[in-house]
Amino acid sequence: MTKLDATLNRLVEEARTAPASAEIAARALPLLDLTSLNDDDTDERIAALCDRAVTEAGGVAAVCIYPRFVPLAKQRLSNKGVAIATVINFPAGGTDAAAVSADTKAAVRAGADEIDVVLPWRTFQSGERTIPHDVLRACRDACGDGVLMKVILETGGLDDAGLIEQASRDAISAGADFIKTSTGKLNPAATLEAAAIMMAVIRDCGRPVGFKAAGGIRDTAGAAGYLYLSNVLLGPGWATPSTFRFGASGLLDALLADLGQTTTGRKPSGGY
């Protein structure tokens, strides 16, 4: 990745050493989008994922699943205070705005509360701006009122500080409620460097926008660095479920262990 400016680089280095603790685990748990996005997901696996979403230590923010499982998750988590998130044009970041609109409308009708849509990042990387904007606007319009749009930038593919900054700004301009690092299908996934750039854009954008780190965050120590960046760049009280998410599959059990809770023992076989 292109070198960060000196201030962000210093913050990233500090974030790498942010200590893990039970307090950090307690902060991170309600920020979790508990995720299973495997090609071989089944009703049984998604039902088990939903059953894991409410623990003795509290509930997660959302479950994130493929659209075909939205009705099942909606039924399974009825009145549990856990949102249903799903993915559109995932993971490749398709450029067909009409298809994105239709798929988003179908997911919302099925009960999705949140839509994670992929910026057509390869097209964006090539220098094209109209097509990515049109795709995101189609999703935003199809979401309607009350449904969150989280835009996945696929920062590991962009792999350039300037491109990540511009993609963040363009996603926000197109109506993003959250900007999200990664699909979890490409390496590197979430990085502290990308997170610092994205949070700095959020800080300066002039309206409330959330941040989601997704992919490769597996323990409390991994979560601690992102929370440190949010504290410094956006304020100690900024990271709440309405502004900050971790997209992960295995992180929940690690957080519960650090909170002294019995772990669920039923991790998805993949996802994030």
Side-chain angles (χ1 to χ4, degrees), residues 56 111 113 184 187 202 242 253:
E56 291 183 4
D113 304 300
N187 287 318
I202 289 170
S242 65
D253 282 350

Side-chain angles (χ1 to χ4, degrees), residues 85-112:
T86 195
V87 290
I88 300 295
N89 74 340
F90 182 94
T95 59
D96 187 337
V100 165
S101 176
D103 291 346
T104 300
K105 289 177 181 177
V108 171
R109 285 195 302 269

Side-chain angles (χ1 to χ4, degrees), residues 11-173:
L11 292 179
V12 166
E13 292 307 311
E14 292 172 358
R16 292 192 199 287
T17 63
S21 64
E23 181 182 1
I24 293 294
R27 278 192 75 193
L29 191 149
L31 308 178
L32 181 60
D33 283 2
L34 186 61
T35 300
S36 191
L37 293 167
N38 309 290
D39 293 338
D40 62 350
D41 278 342
T42 61
D43 286 355
E44 292 75 18
R45 181 180 290 167
I46 299 306
L49 184 86
C50 292
D51 291 346
R52 297 176 63 219
V54 180
T55 78
E56 291 183 4
V60 303
V63 295
C64 188
I65 53 179
Y66 277 119
R68 65 184 181 273
F69 298 113
V70 167
L72 168 63
K74 196 73 175 179
Q75 181 180 33
R76 198 86 176 187
L77 289 167
S78 178
N79 299 316
K80 297 291 181 64
V82 177
I84 311 300
T86 195
V87 290
I88 300 295
N89 74 340
F90 182 94
T95 59
D96 187 337
V100 165
S101 176
D103 291 346
T104 300
K105 289 177 181 177
V108 171
R109 285 195 302 269
D113 304 300
E114 303 178 1
I115 301 294
D116 288 29
V117 61
V118 184
L119 173 80
W121 61 271
R122 291 181 179 87
T123 304
F124 185 90
Q125 191 175 46
S126 74
E128 168 62 41
R129 296 292 182 265
T130 301
I131 291 172
H133 180 270
D134 288 349
V135 166
L136 299 187
R137 280 307 312 175
C139 183
R140 173 72 272 163
D141 292 344
C143 283
D145 295 333
V147 174
L148 290 181
M149 182 174 79
K150 308 206 288 288
V151 177
I152 305 169
L153 304 184
E154 198 67 287
T155 54
L158 294 177
D159 195 33
D160 176 89
L163 277 178
I164 293 169
E165 179 178 353
Q166 189 59 55
S168 300
R169 296 186 188 282
D170 283 12
I172 292 169
S173 176

Side-chain angles (χ1 to χ4, degrees), residues 8 20 35 41 48 57 70 103 111 126 131 142 174 179-180 193 228-229 233-234 244 246 262:
L8 291 185
T35 300
D41 278 342
V70 167
D103 291 346
S126 74
I131 291 172
I179 51 176
K180 173 179 171 181
E193 289 86 351
Y228 177 85
L229 287 178
L233 288 169
L234 292 157
F244 190 110
F246 291 109
T262 302

